[in-house]
Amino acid sequence: MGRLLLGCIADDFTGATDLANNLVRHGMRVVQANGVPEGPLDAEADAVVVALKSRTIAPAEAVAQSLAALRWLQAAGAQQIYFKYCSTFDSTPQGNIGPVAEALMDALGTDFTIATPAFPDNGRTVFKGHLFVGDVLLSDSGMKNHPLTPMTDANLVRVLQAQCRRKVGLIDHRVVAAGADAVRARIAALRAEGVGLAIVDAVSNDDLLRLGPALADLPLLTAGSGVAIGLPGNFGLAASSTASALPPARGLRAVVSGSCSQATLRQVQAFQASGRPAFAVDPLRLAQGHDVAGEALAWAGDRLAAGPVLIYSSADPAAVQAVQGQLGVAAAGERVEQALATVARGLVALGVRQLVVAGGETSGACAQALGVQQMRIGPQIDPGVPWCHAQAPGTGAEGLHLALKSGNFGGDDFFTRAFSVLA
Ligand code: ADP
């Protein structure tokens, strides 16, 4: 393997893909590893994104997993480390953004890093240290009601300070607008004041591209996926189609959807409206012990040859609530995820080699069931969602093309257009 340029640690699965996608679009060849790899990489890469599931686990466990990822990336020769978290700065009052960032600083022996979830392409902007989601402050957005990480303060300097031992400061928009030299000077001044981490303002991609060169010498960066667009240039790389090239796609096509997000519900509807075949997985039949996965696979059997099929549990909020009321929230989710993972494995056994999965948790369950440990990141279908290619067990030399879509991503025609991007 050539020397790794950028080593990334992501605190969740689809967030890792989102970061990888931004790096590929700006010229890096990227492999996403699901968990810390046990051996070397399957393919050459300029950057590796290690996907953890550490966003809401206990801080000490998140630190331990992140340090294990760091050790693997260092052994692979990574020249710079990037800790990636959510663009809404999802964290509990204890972390895990602060504790993981400081543990990585200690391990790397560095006294300074930045922190910014800014991702203007997805409506996440930071101004005077305050995070906006679309047109509203983070604390006025839907994130204030998140079940696991409610975000009730938009002042990120204050939020991060509450999670950190080191002093937290700010690099504001006027500095960023003045360019890389001004940012470097501001970093030097903050360091002299004893500031260890600085929130960075960014309201546009231009801000992120101006910021990039100023970050070249920092051993550690912590950010959402936005900062990634300004980094490949530091390594002499520019956008190119070779960065996203995947092996040719052959074999049957299918979509598995366990996401109940608004965007996904529209995608399910659009797929059906186009006259294509779709099979609904009923969680209550599952709970009664019926082999719903087996029924879905038998249904798919002779339909697959004619074009993509959809197997979905996606349902509107009222239906989901009714199911959750009967089965419990966690039990319903787990049961449906396991059934859809069995479906994904069965589809691959039937010859599917181009598979779209909708839903963050659903994607994690399916990737695990398919034995996908590493994925080469390919061309973008919609913002944040690329095609990937994996050497999955049972898929032979051709491997498996996978698109893993987190709930609210993608246009209405995603389930059909995805396949035309590969063709
Ligand atoms: P998203 O990315 O849209 O949040 P996820 O896959 O992460 O999608 O989460 C959706 C959750 O809802 C999963 O745990 C899934 O198993 C569960 N689920 C899917 N369909 C249903 C349903 N009809 N009733 C109840 N829960 C469901």
Side-chain angles (χ1 to χ4, degrees):
M1 183 171 101
R3 200 177 147 121
L4 199 59
L5 304 178
L6 195 62
C8 310
I9 303 166
D11 70 353
D12 93 331
F13 187 86
T14 41
T17 311
D18 178 15
L19 170 61
N21 182 56
N22 271 354
L23 291 169
V24 168
R25 278 163 42 81
H26 290 81
M28 282 187 154
R29 297 166 305 160
V30 182
V31 168
Q32 175 175 333
N34 301 323
V36 180
E38 276 155 25
L41 291 184
D42 293 344
E44 274 290 296
D46 303 310
V48 171
V49 184
V50 176
L52 301 178
K53 216 173 168 215
S54 57
R55 184 169 294 168
T56 56
I57 63 178
E61 179 58 19
V63 164
Q65 288 185 17
S66 304
L67 290 177
L70 173 66
R71 283 191 291 273
W72 188 91
L73 293 167
Q74 285 179 310
Q79 295 177 26
Q80 188 173 41
I81 300 295
Y82 190 125
F83 168 40
K84 192 271 173 192
Y85 37 75
C86 188
S87 67
T88 41
F89 216 68
D90 299 15
S91 46
T92 69
Q94 297 78 41
N96 293 330
I97 294 175
V100 169
E102 291 201 282
L104 293 172
M105 290 175 76
D106 292 340
L108 287 161
T110 182
D111 68 340
F112 185 85
T113 189
I114 58 136
T116 181
F119 190 10
D121 278 351
N122 269 355
R124 314 296 194 250
T125 54
V126 181
F127 183 71
K128 292 189 180 295
H130 289 69
L131 175 58
F132 288 80
V133 178
D135 296 327
V136 301
L137 283 168
L138 174 67
S139 45
D140 292 326
S141 76
M143 282 305 297
K144 69 177 178 221
N145 297 319
H146 192 280
L148 301 176
T149 53
M151 300 302 291
T152 55
D153 187 357
N155 181 333
L156 298 184
V157 175
R158 201 157 51 202
V159 171
L160 187 58
Q161 186 65 78
Q163 303 175 18
C164 286
R165 287 178 280 115
R166 291 173 175 81
K167 201 160 138 194
V168 178
L170 176 65
I171 299 173
D172 85 0
H173 65 103
R174 287 165 304 192
V175 174
V176 176
D181 285 339
V183 174
R184 283 192 202 96
R186 176 70 180 149
I187 289 175
L190 288 167
R191 270 187 153 132
E193 288 170 30
V195 168
L197 302 95
I199 300 290
V200 186
D201 281 357
V203 297
S204 65
N205 281 350
D206 287 342
D207 283 340
L208 295 173
L209 293 170
R210 269 193 295 271
L211 180 64
L215 306 177
D217 297 330
L218 296 180
L220 173 68
L221 306 174
T222 87
S225 61
V227 165
I229 72 171
L231 300 183
N234 292 346
F235 300 98
L237 296 171
S240 78
S241 57
T242 52
S244 65
L246 295 181
R250 298 192 195 87
L252 303 174
R253 303 162 163 189
V255 183
V256 171
S257 176
S259 160
C260 302
S261 297
Q262 295 299 322
T264 306
L265 296 179
R266 290 196 297 273
Q267 290 154 0
V268 168
Q269 218 161 37
F271 187 90
Q272 290 174 294
S274 74
R276 293 184 167 78
F279 182 99
V281 168
D282 177 355
L284 295 179
R285 272 179 60 76
L286 267 179
Q288 288 158 5
H290 294 281
D291 176 18
V292 182
E295 293 166 6
L297 290 167
W299 169 88
D302 48 2
R303 288 180 171 83
L304 279 166
V309 305
L310 165 65
I311 296 173
Y312 68 101
S313 68
S314 312
D316 61 41
V320 171
Q321 248 181 19
V323 167
Q324 288 175 336
Q326 289 198 40
L327 305 181
V329 176
E334 173 73 8
R335 211 180 270 273
V336 174
E337 281 166 36
Q338 284 320 312
L340 293 179
T342 304
V343 167
R345 213 173 36 218
L347 287 169
V348 168
L350 288 171
V352 167
R353 293 292 179 272
Q354 304 171 56
L355 180 66
V356 173
V357 183
E361 295 298 326
T362 307
S363 290
C366 289
Q368 193 173 27
L370 291 167
V372 171
Q373 284 163 358
Q374 293 181 21
M375 312 186 298
R376 181 67 188 263
I377 307 297
Q380 172 173 290
I381 304 163
D382 270 333
V385 201
W387 273 108
C388 311
H389 181 261
Q391 306 290 348
T395 59
E398 65 187 328
L400 173 67
H401 287 78
L402 266 177
L404 305 171
K405 185 192 84 77
S406 88
N408 268 320
F409 283 15
D412 291 358
D413 60 350
F414 187 92
F415 290 167
T416 45
R417 215 166 49 73
F419 297 105
S420 59
V421 170
L422 264 194

